[in-house]
Amino acid sequence: MDGRWDGLRAEVREAVDELVTSGRETGVQVAAYVAGAPIVEEQAGLADSTTGRPLTADTPVHAVSTGKGLTATVVHVLAERGRLDYDLRIAEVWPEFARHGKDDITLRHALTHTAGLPALPADITPADFTDWDRMCGLLADAEPRWAPGERLAYHAWTWGWLVGEVVRRVTGKPVSQVLAEDVAGPLGVTGELFLGVPETDLPRLARLEDAGLAALMTWAGANLPNFDAVAPPHVRPDATTGSRPDVLRADVPAVGTMSARAVARMYAALLGPVDGVRLISPDRLREVSAVAVRAEEWVFGQEATFGLGYAVDADGSFGTAGSGGSLAFAYPELGLTVAAVRNRLGAGDGDPMERLRVLVRDRVGAELGR
């Protein structure tokens, strides 16, 4: 790696070592790219505290909704090739979806969480998540809560099947296969970037631990009136759901499993070439990373901002973060991408992965004079 970033790497290494040695984290990976080249790849701690298996750079970690960025990227790669249009009416490729007046919902509505279909049945179970046809059937039969585009509501789980079924209808392939063939494969990270995880790779995954996330989910269910509609009690996005082998194997494309270095590399290939691979054009990059909707969000009651499948932050970045703290973001103006993943899913702990992201962003910005 470029010696220009030796100081930053040392700072990140010290930070992740302290998080692990203090007992605040079990295992952490941090990775960053600038101008298509890796500048940070640091990891510390254990993939599995019960066996002592170390967390290595290539250990995949289930990073919950950080996986939405993988699915969104698949859509943009297909759009770049002329296979998809953001204003495609979903019912054009998925005719059953038109039921109950849903014929005007577009892929753009789905990507921006404005499709009006954030809710799942209250009795849904993780076993249901493993049945792709059942989940898509539920959405085809669902009545929208409001007209498309009328309200922003985080489609915590439903987003994945809405977007993923469009991909399947257009390509004839599961979205996890398209990710492997058209994104992970060209970038050389097929063993580290997953939606559905192959059976043979399950033993390589980091073991998730709960560090307050489950308690936060319980609080949210009791205090946020719309929370249980989007994340019913049996399928809350936590260490329990994210540890089930059947769910990990299934395509549940609102969530994903990845190493920090693989997802940082993916975002880098959205910004520009990475070893000769560029996923989308500069014009499309500007389109997908621009603010598409900014409004008070229905589930959490706070203002939220989304582009086409990614959150857009006030610091100029776009990307996704997951329950428990993992994240991956890109900074087009800096040519920077940052990913930080953890296997100890926390809440109310000061958001250490976000602090690592800010550390990298600020040091790179200062070095580049921006």
Side-chain angles (χ1 to χ4, degrees), residues 37-111:
I39 63 165
V40 173
E41 185 183 294
E42 299 293 336
Q43 55 280 326
L46 300 177
D48 188 338
S49 61
T50 66
T51 66
R53 175 164 56 94
L55 187 79
T56 57
D58 64 348
T59 302
V61 181
H62 184 69
V64 201
S65 282
T66 312
K68 287 184 173 70
L70 279 57
T71 303
T73 297
V74 166
V75 168
H76 303 317
V77 168
L78 292 173
E80 186 71 25
R81 296 174 182 177
R83 303 288 302 279
L84 277 177
D85 184 277
Y86 304 127
D87 293 314
L88 169 76
R89 290 188 305 109
I90 292 175
E92 289 182 33
V93 296
W94 181 2
E96 310 95 288
F97 185 76
R99 296 171 193 152
H100 305 299
K102 299 196 297 297
D103 48 304
D104 288 333
I105 296 175
T106 65
L107 178 58
R108 187 184 301 272
H109 290 131
L111 288 169

Side-chain angles (χ1 to χ4, degrees), residues 165-190:
E165 180 65 354
V166 171
V167 170
R168 191 186 72 83
R169 295 279 176 145
V170 168
T171 65
K173 301 174 183 177
V175 63
S176 58
Q177 183 179 346
V178 183
L179 175 74
E181 293 176 353
D182 294 351
V183 178
L187 290 171
V189 291
T190 51

Side-chain angles (χ1 to χ4, degrees), residues 107-139:
L107 178 58
R108 187 184 301 272
H109 290 131
L111 288 169
T112 58
H113 299 267
T114 60
L117 294 164
L120 286 171
D123 60 352
I124 204 81
T125 69
D128 293 316
F129 278 15
T130 69
D131 186 338
W132 182 269
D133 290 340
R134 169 166 169 70
M135 296 310 300
C136 291
L138 285 172
L139 287 171

Side-chain angles (χ1 to χ4, degrees), residues 155-331:
H155 289 43
W157 290 114
T158 60
W159 187 94
W161 293 292
L162 288 172
V163 177
E165 180 65 354
V166 171
V167 170
R168 191 186 72 83
R169 295 279 176 145
V170 168
T171 65
K173 301 174 183 177
V175 63
S176 58
Q177 183 179 346
V178 183
L179 175 74
E181 293 176 353
D182 294 351
V183 178
L187 290 171
V189 291
T190 51
E192 301 177 40
L193 203 64
F194 301 112
L195 293 168
V197 181
E199 177 85 35
T200 54
D201 285 294
L202 289 177
R204 300 176 46 235
L205 268 54
R207 178 178 174 272
L208 297 183
E209 301 176 4
D210 178 71
L213 181 60
L216 176 64
M217 293 291 168
T218 300
W219 180 92
N223 292 276
L224 300 178
N226 301 317
F227 183 81
D228 277 355
V230 303
H234 297 302
V235 291
R236 287 174 175 161
D238 55 22
T240 300
T241 302
S243 296
R244 287 180 59 123
D246 57 343
V247 173
L248 287 165
R249 287 194 305 267
D251 262 349
V252 185
V255 296
T257 301
M258 66 208 72
S259 69
R261 70 179 187 182
V263 70
R265 186 173 177 85
M266 182 197 79
Y267 276 100
L270 291 172
L271 299 187
V274 176
D275 294 333
V277 176
R278 181 167 195 164
L279 295 176
I280 59 175
S281 68
D283 286 346
R284 190 169 304 277
L285 170 64
R286 284 188 287 272
E287 182 177 11
V288 305
S289 61
V291 173
V293 57
R294 179 184 288 121
E296 182 175 303
E297 190 275 326
W298 181 70
V299 180
F300 298 99
Q302 299 176 335
E303 185 176 86
T305 306
F306 286 97
L308 294 180
Y310 311 107
V312 178
D313 277 6
D315 64 0
S317 65
F318 71 94
T320 48
S323 299
S326 294
L327 54 85
F329 281 85
Y331 295 80

Side-chain angles (χ1 to χ4, degrees), residues 22-47:
S22 68
R24 293 188 60 191
E25 299 291 342
T26 299
V28 176
Q29 297 170 341
V30 184
Y33 274 65
V34 168
I39 63 165
V40 173
E41 185 183 294
E42 299 293 336
Q43 55 280 326
L46 300 177

